[in-house]
Amino acid sequence: MTTVVGALHGVAASPGFVVGRAVAWRPGQTVAVEAARDVDDASARVVADLRFRAAAATSAEATAVLEALAMFAADPELIAAARARVAAGEQPSAAVRAAAGQYAEQLRGLGGYLAERAPDVEDVGERLADCLAGRAPAVLPEPGHPYVLVARDLAPADTALLDPATVLAIVTEQGGPTSHTTILARALGIPAVVACVGASDRLDGIDVLVDGSQGEVHPAPSAALVEEIGRREGRAAERGARIHGPGATADGVAVKILANVGTLEQARSTAATDVEGIGLFRTELLFLDRTEEPELDEQVAAYAEVLGAFGDRRVVFRTLDAGSDKPVPFLGLGSEENPALGVRGLRTAVLRPEVLDRQLTAFAEAARLTGTEPWVMAPMVSTPVEAERFGARARAAGLRQVGVMIEVPSAALRAGQILKDLDFASIGTNDLAQYALAADRQLGDVAALLDPWQPALLDLVALTCAGAAGRGRPTGVCGEAAADPRLAAVLVGLGVRSLSMSARAVADVRGLLAEVDLGTCLRAAELARAASGPDEARAAVQPLLG
Amino acid sequence: MAVRTAHIASSVGLHARPAGLFVALASEASQAGLKVTIGRPGEEAVNAASILSVLGLGIGHGEVVEVGVEGDASTDTESVLDQLVAELSIDRDAEGS
């Protein structure tokens, strides 16, 4: 493999690769224009600008966002509220921000879908304020040639007009696997790398190769590197197109290929694809930003919809994974200095046991209504005692497939004991890496420690599988690690027999597994664990897995 | 003011696309000089041409709402109400949360 010097690492946000000139964009720089005369004038101008962008937007998603923003900017009550504030003596810019802020707060209090609109309302307040202050909204660079857009972070309205013929790829320093940039890049089909620290300073003005599949950016790539990555991508595409149906190794060892899903919309669209089920359904969608706990009926309806869409296929629900860093107001969690180490996941059930019981009851009722048998697991399980208590409650609610997420190192070390009376384990590699390597998931500066190829993490996976196997229970992986085809083969070699990933990764993972036999996976796992670091681990398995 | 009740047919409630479509209709009427309101029976109604006010009601699937229209003597309020209520009664498959 060609030695790469100076590659920047980030999170693989959208697959594919491209070579182009990088242009760093700092959206704080706005253009000075004639200020709007008053609140009504500002509203008219902002609405016109947003409608123009909506009509010119390059993706259906962007159009929808912009049209909604235009509607907010035109809202007669918002404008009336701002006007009243101006009449009472407030500065026009402050008045529109305050008026928008009030509506945003109201929406936040309603939770769910409505709360998600709150930042958009605030964004409109900012646009109106800028308009009144004589600042025009910043536009993307137009250097006169196609380029790679590099920025600290990107907001929805910034990227709405992004034309994939002009912007070849996106690299941001912030963001993660589910951030807006990631979603947009995938919708447009352009490669993207996020959480790429130092990108703006180091890449501005030079040619780069953006490897969205691996999450790497190579400054000044050699012809050899470009060719090598091109070959790799070509093989992956061809392989992904060929293999269908249930996942298995070349010698027929079954490995279930499942999807990670977080919304009802995703559940519906994923159900229509070639995947064996949902390995992780994040139930937070019903709880985030809510000032009151969702009613049993609402929960039952949502879970039943997911189960109905998947029929006989496996669906694994994860119980509420809340923490002081996630907005779940009705739980009443206090603020914590270290939310990652605080009352989160299953631990919240000690404070509010009835919330967990209601959720478990809802799963059971949804199962009854649809005639299915969902799998249910709890997040952040740390000890066998916790696991036993959870198991007892879940079974008391009528659930039959009960398991836990293994994402705390103590749980990996004690997996056998934890699974004594439970049915399955699912490893959350993202959080397991965070806790095992003592590196904050939100901090770009320590991102290298969170690399799922870290041999120490692989050791914990092996331990978990061994502990579970000792009890005759299956182990799956539902973290980002499962989406990397070569790492997936290593995981299979470590004993993992189900992999749950974002839907876009399914074809590539299934395709690669179909080309290697179990013996090769075992050998790859050995080599990866023997390495002293993630890069060495990748290099070691490369000859075996291609 | 002419008032009529309607059931919210949209499976996600009066949010997202369904709200947008309803408010767009109400806005047209409002621009023609009519006053259009919406609210839960017995509660204070809001300006139906204001998307933020309508979203702020947090109206869910199956709920009953009252739609009100007021114009001058020449206004065919019943026909405007027909359109508005018809819009609320369609279950458009809107985006999930």
Side-chain angles (χ1 to χ4, degrees), chain A residues 71-72 75-78 103 106-107 110 113-114 116 121 263-265 268 285, chain B residues 15-16 20 23-24 47 49-53 55-56 58 93-97:
Chain A
M71 227 173 171
F72 293 152
D75 191 302
E77 297 298 326
L78 172 65
Y103 278 106
Q106 185 193 32
L107 290 176
L110 291 167
Y113 169 83
L114 291 170
E116 283 175 33
V121 176
T263 68
L264 298 180
E265 163 90 26
R268 273 179 245 137
L285 79 156
Chain B
H15 309 165
V23 170
N47 181 355
S50 161
I51 182 73
L52 289 168
S53 308
L55 289 180
D93 194 24
E95 285 206 11
S97 42

Side-chain angles (χ1 to χ4, degrees), chain A residues 160-201:
Chain A
L161 295 190
L162 208 150
D163 179 359
T166 314
V167 174
L168 304 169
I170 301 177
V171 179
T172 62
E173 303 197 36
Q174 309 274 328
T178 56
S179 65
H180 178 81
T181 301
T182 301
I183 295 166
L184 176 86
R186 286 191 206 147
L188 292 175
I190 60 177
V193 176
V194 300
C196 187
V197 177
S200 299
D201 292 330

Side-chain angles (χ1 to χ4, degrees), chain B residues 30-41:
Chain B
S30 171
Q31 264 143 49
L34 303 178
K35 182 172 160 183
V36 185
T37 64
I38 183 170
R40 291 186 173 89

Side-chain angles (χ1 to χ4, degrees), chain A residues 258-324:
Chain A
L258 308 161
N260 293 341
V261 170
T263 68
L264 298 180
E265 163 90 26
Q266 265 179 356
R268 273 179 245 137
S269 59
T270 305
T273 66
D274 183 8
V275 74
E276 296 175 72
I278 299 180
L280 165 63
F281 187 87
R282 302 182 191 97
T283 59
E284 288 74 62
L285 79 156
L286 293 171
F287 295 88
L288 285 178
D289 289 313
R290 300 288 273 255
T291 47
E292 283 173 26
E293 190 194 338
E295 305 256 1
L296 184 70
D297 288 346
E298 187 189 339
Q299 292 197 51
V300 173
Y303 304 146
E305 192 179 327
V306 176
L307 291 170
F310 277 82
D312 296 330
R313 290 180 284 176
R314 181 186 302 179
V315 171
V316 184
F317 289 116
R318 181 183 66 188
T319 59
L320 177 61
D321 192 14
S324 67

